[in-house]
Amino acid sequence: MTIARDPGIEQDERLADARLAGGEEDLDRSLRPKRLDDFINQAQVTAQLEVFIEAARRRGEPLDHVLLAGPPGLGKTSLANIVAAELQAPLVQTAGPALERKADIAAFLTALEPGSVFFIDEVHRLSRAIEETLYPAMEERRLPVVLGQGAGARTVTLDLPPFTLVGATTRTGLLTTPLRDRFGVCHRLEHYDPGDLARIVRRSADILGIQVEPQGERAIAERSRGTPRVANRLLKRVRDFAEVRGAGVVTGEVAHEALGLLEVDTVGLDRHDRGILEAIAIKFSGGPVGLSTLAASVDEEQDTIEDVYEPYLLQQGLIKRTPRGRVITPRAFEHLGLPVPKEAASLF
């Protein structure tokens, strides 16, 4: 027997799934601070921005172009949104890889309203042609446009409205000097300490309606790699655990149990981080081991190890880069609960 299915049911399910997906994105955005006063940590950055924004507002001028640098997840996008909110200006957002042709950047610039904040994420990934188009736009608010081709081509210059370009980058060294020098305000965001991350967890918990005890806040903060984005992600996963296996309250015990289930240890290392350390410690007696050999041993791409996993391991003093290859430190052996091999001890 065949049961007839209402064609509207599948459509309703898809709509429900779309609402859930959109709700998750809205939820992430709701956790971002809306004003400089709400931005935790980076006190020097926010204090300077507050002065610059107020001065620009009093003069009735656009804020000078701003460059925000630092590792992912520290609040560069949030600060760009805050700058627009404090200036009471519209925010136009894009990313460096999305701007492939001069026509792409021209479409954004010519559509800006006076006083707009134009935010380009991953600005170091702009092509050289796009950069050269930005130079006169940033300095003179002019956009040269080439009409026609060959001998009959001519250049027409369009006037642009006053605007503030906010660029965000995780790789400051990849920015060309001419582009970097055109930003009048440059700030680098640093990693957060556990105390500030605990305050962020508390604020996010209030927004999400989660009951979190101080011990739970601290447990999440200490394993968040000094990064607010990671802290918020762990908070949402611990909340799931507390609702399913607990009483809905994130206590210290619940947080430790949930983070153990997530395989996030006391210094924020996950299973993949520990896999890299264990490979060097056990398979290669602490190193040195070449990047290609290490990548093959853990079945991971070289670029992924170098760009995703190694930075945090280096910051924590668990691994060293040497001319002969990667070497893990005595602290890494101690963290893994392994003795330092005699052949490795001679390297330190």
Side-chain angles (χ1 to χ4, degrees):
M1 181 178 66
T2 303
I3 299 175
R5 177 178 176 88
D6 185 347
I9 293 179
E10 186 176 352
Q11 177 69 14
D12 291 342
E13 289 176 351
R14 286 199 298 267
L15 291 174
D17 291 341
R19 283 195 294 269
L20 288 172
E24 187 71 17
E25 293 177 2
D26 292 341
L27 188 62
D28 289 336
R29 283 193 292 268
S30 71
L31 299 180
R32 292 178 176 172
K34 302 298 188 293
R35 295 286 177 180
L36 285 174
D37 292 340
D38 300 329
F39 200 91
I40 297 173
N41 198 284
Q42 316 295 343
Q44 186 175 7
V45 174
T46 55
Q48 291 183 28
L49 280 176
E50 184 178 12
V51 172
F52 301 151
I53 289 171
E54 180 61 25
R57 197 159 42 200
R58 290 185 181 185
R59 291 194 300 264
E61 299 176 354
L63 178 67
D64 207 349
H65 304 302
V66 180
L67 177 65
L68 301 172
L74 298 188
K76 297 184 291 296
T77 299
S78 295
L79 273 177
N81 281 270
I82 288 173
V83 167
E86 296 285 354
L87 290 171
Q88 298 180 350
L91 176 73
V92 178
Q93 181 173 345
T94 187
L99 302 173
E100 298 179 349
R101 301 170 301 164
K102 290 185 178 181
D104 297 331
I105 190 70
F108 277 105
L109 292 173
T110 54
L112 292 176
E113 300 177 22
S116 294
V117 173
F118 183 29
F119 174 51
I120 302 180
D121 198 10
E122 297 299 314
V123 68
H124 63 271
R125 296 179 63 181
L126 290 175
S127 67
R128 184 58 59 88
I130 299 296
E131 278 192 22
E132 292 174 352
T133 302
L134 272 178
Y135 296 160
M138 295 173 70
E139 287 188 321
E140 305 167 3
R141 297 178 195 154
R142 293 180 179 274
L143 179 65
V145 178
V146 179
L147 301 178
Q149 295 180 350
R154 59 192 180 92
T155 301
V156 176
T157 302
L158 303 178
D159 292 328
L160 298 175
F163 73 96
T164 296
L165 175 64
V166 178
T169 177
T170 56
R171 306 283 295 275
T172 312
L174 296 183
L175 285 175
T176 61
T177 301
L179 178 61
R180 185 171 60 248
D181 289 346
R182 283 172 168 80
F183 288 97
V185 179
C186 298
H187 291 300
R188 178 171 178 82
L189 277 61
E190 303 295 341
H191 283 96
Y192 292 55
D193 61 46
D196 288 325
L197 284 173
R199 291 170 57 200
I200 290 173
V201 170
R202 188 180 314 126
R203 176 183 177 275
S204 297
D206 290 339
I207 294 173
L208 296 172
I210 306 171
Q211 288 183 279
V212 183
E213 294 184 352
Q215 295 87 347
E217 295 171 0
R218 191 74 184 183
I220 294 172
E222 289 175 346
R223 305 189 190 199
S224 297
R225 298 173 174 254
T227 306
R229 182 183 296 165
V230 175
N232 287 331
R233 175 173 58 82
L234 292 179
L235 173 64
K236 289 188 287 185
R237 300 292 71 81
V238 172
R239 171 196 60 180
D240 296 340
F241 184 91
E243 290 176 352
V244 174
R245 297 191 180 179
V249 179
V250 179
T251 64
E253 182 180 355
V254 167
H256 282 293
E257 191 174 351
L259 292 167
L261 182 67
L262 293 169
E263 299 184 89
V264 179
D265 65 24
T266 53
V267 295
L269 302 186
D270 60 20
R271 178 166 52 88
H272 303 290
D273 298 314
R274 290 192 299 276
I276 292 172
L277 292 180
E278 289 171 354
I280 302 175
I282 298 172
K283 297 179 181 179
F284 304 103
S285 302
V289 55
L291 179 59
S292 60
T293 303
L294 177 60
S297 70
V298 297
D299 194 22
E300 189 59 84
E301 294 293 331
Q302 296 183 41
D303 292 344
T304 304
I305 292 178
E306 199 167 19
D307 297 335
V308 177
Y309 297 114
E310 275 193 348
Y312 186 69
L313 297 176
L314 288 166
Q315 291 162 15
Q316 295 300 304
L318 299 171
I319 195 172
K320 293 193 301 183
R321 290 175 178 169
T322 71
R324 296 172 57 195
R326 271 60 175 174
V327 176
I328 66 171
T329 64
R331 184 184 179 191
F333 280 105
E334 180 183 351
H335 182 73
L336 295 173
L338 299 173
V340 180
K342 292 181 180 180
E343 54 267 36
S346 62
L347 295 172
F348 305 119

